[in-house]
Amino acid sequence: MIRKVRFVEPAKVYRMIKDELDAAYFDVMSKGDLIDRSQLKTFEKHLAEYVGTRYAVGLNSGYDALHLSLRAAGVGAGDEVIVPAHTFVATCSAVVNVNATPVLVDVARDFNIDVDKIEEAISPKTRAIIAVHLSGFMADMPRIMEIAERYGLVVVEDACQSLGSSINGRGAGSWGLTGCWSFYPFKILGGYGDGGAITTDDIEVDRFIRRMRYNGEDRETGEYHGHGFTCLLDNLQAAFLDVKLRHLPAWIERRKDISEIYQLGLHDIHDLLLPHYDKPGFDHVYQNYTVRARQGNAFSEYLKKNGVEVLTQFRKPYYKHKALNLVDRGFSETEALSREVCSLPMNVEISDDEIAYVIRTVRSFYGLS
Ligand SMILES: Cc1ncc(COP(=O)(O)O)c(C=O)c1O
């Protein structure tokens, strides 16, 4: 029988920390604490501390975090915003949905925006750069901040895939005007449903986003400051996330250990590019372990057929979807990696036996023992 290695197993994580999650559930349920109660405030405090910012505001999703960040920055019609050509579509949709124009820029070998190509995409209309930190590895923030300062641009960090990563000890989500977080279940800090947040050092941004998540209302005065949205982080999710956040430092260490085991087992395969980069000071937390296999679909299909669940995000770049109506200026690195990407199972619930099975299966595809 073919063995199955799942990409993630939320039920297994639940069993690992069942007592703590059950206690959080009992606390919320027994008090009837459903919307914007102490559990949300506590989680926001702990998230801000963890990221290294003054404030954190819990939201419905990572998309909301991006969308409200752009609104907080005053980005709107007539503005251009630079976004990477290789990212989850939500990064770009947030720009379109504030009536601004996304200007796409190709990525580099580490899957993040190619900093050398940012300046040629800047025009007099450019207002902001969304720096995406993909898979647990940060975009080059020192250089991006330097460019943004020189051109007077706002920087928003799409850190949805990189909670816990850092450059020279400074955390993802603490560099730009805001850091945007997703707690979608597959994320490094995944909830039991959708969730998101922003982090910021700017008290005005904190206040603006707190009001916007509550239909524009200042909850203390009852005054509406504009037309807003209903997009608070659910209180029960906040309670669960607070439990999981306590485990995150140890879980990141486990992810790093797994990445080393993969590296040891796969480094001699010439047709496989592994996600280990020589960038001193950059700390990879391995939200995803995304390899590039020259054999593309043949490789990923072989793994699936042999019971290894993998993700191939994204075979078709988002700007190739006609209905999105985006300008394809030709992004050679994005197109090459899109044919080759394959994320292997990477999570804290995977066993050593399962990791060994993944490695054996990859090697057998290449005819190696
Ligand atoms: C890079 C990136 N940006 C934005 C998002 C949007 O987050 P959400 O699904 O919580 O809206 C995600 C995750 O799905 C993501 O990976």
Tab-separated table of all heavy atoms in Angstrom, residues 44 196 217 291 346:
chain	number	residue	atom	x	y	z
A	44	GLU	N	-3.469	40.278	20.518
A	44	GLU	CA	-2.871	41.422	19.815
A	44	GLU	C	-1.612	41.895	20.545
A	44	GLU	O	-0.592	42.209	19.910
A	44	GLU	CB	-3.887	42.567	19.718
A	44	GLU	CG	-4.987	42.292	18.708
A	44	GLU	CD	-6.101	43.339	18.684
A	44	GLU	OE1	-6.253	44.077	19.672
A	44	GLU	OE2	-6.822	43.412	17.690
A	196	GLY	N	-6.485	37.170	10.340
A	196	GLY	CA	-5.371	37.997	9.894
A	196	GLY	C	-5.099	39.100	10.892
A	196	GLY	O	-5.764	39.190	11.938
A	217	GLU	N	-16.440	52.848	12.912
A	217	GLU	CA	-16.838	53.421	14.208
A	217	GLU	C	-15.694	53.445	15.228
A	217	GLU	O	-14.972	52.457	15.385
A	217	GLU	CB	-17.989	52.586	14.786
A	217	GLU	CG	-18.527	53.139	16.100
A	217	GLU	CD	-19.594	52.244	16.728
A	217	GLU	OE1	-19.961	51.217	16.123
A	217	GLU	OE2	-20.042	52.576	17.842
A	291	VAL	N	10.924	23.611	-3.502
A	291	VAL	CA	12.060	23.289	-4.372
A	291	VAL	C	11.691	23.651	-5.806
A	291	VAL	O	10.520	23.835	-6.122
A	291	VAL	CB	12.425	21.779	-4.295
A	291	VAL	CG1	12.753	21.384	-2.873
A	291	VAL	CG2	11.316	20.902	-4.868
A	346	MET	N	6.002	20.375	4.854
A	346	MET	CA	6.826	21.080	5.846
A	346	MET	C	5.884	21.575	6.927
A	346	MET	O	5.096	22.492	6.713
A	346	MET	CB	7.557	22.252	5.181
A	346	MET	CG	8.171	23.279	6.116
A	346	MET	SD	9.359	22.610	7.297
A	346	MET	CE	10.862	22.514	6.329
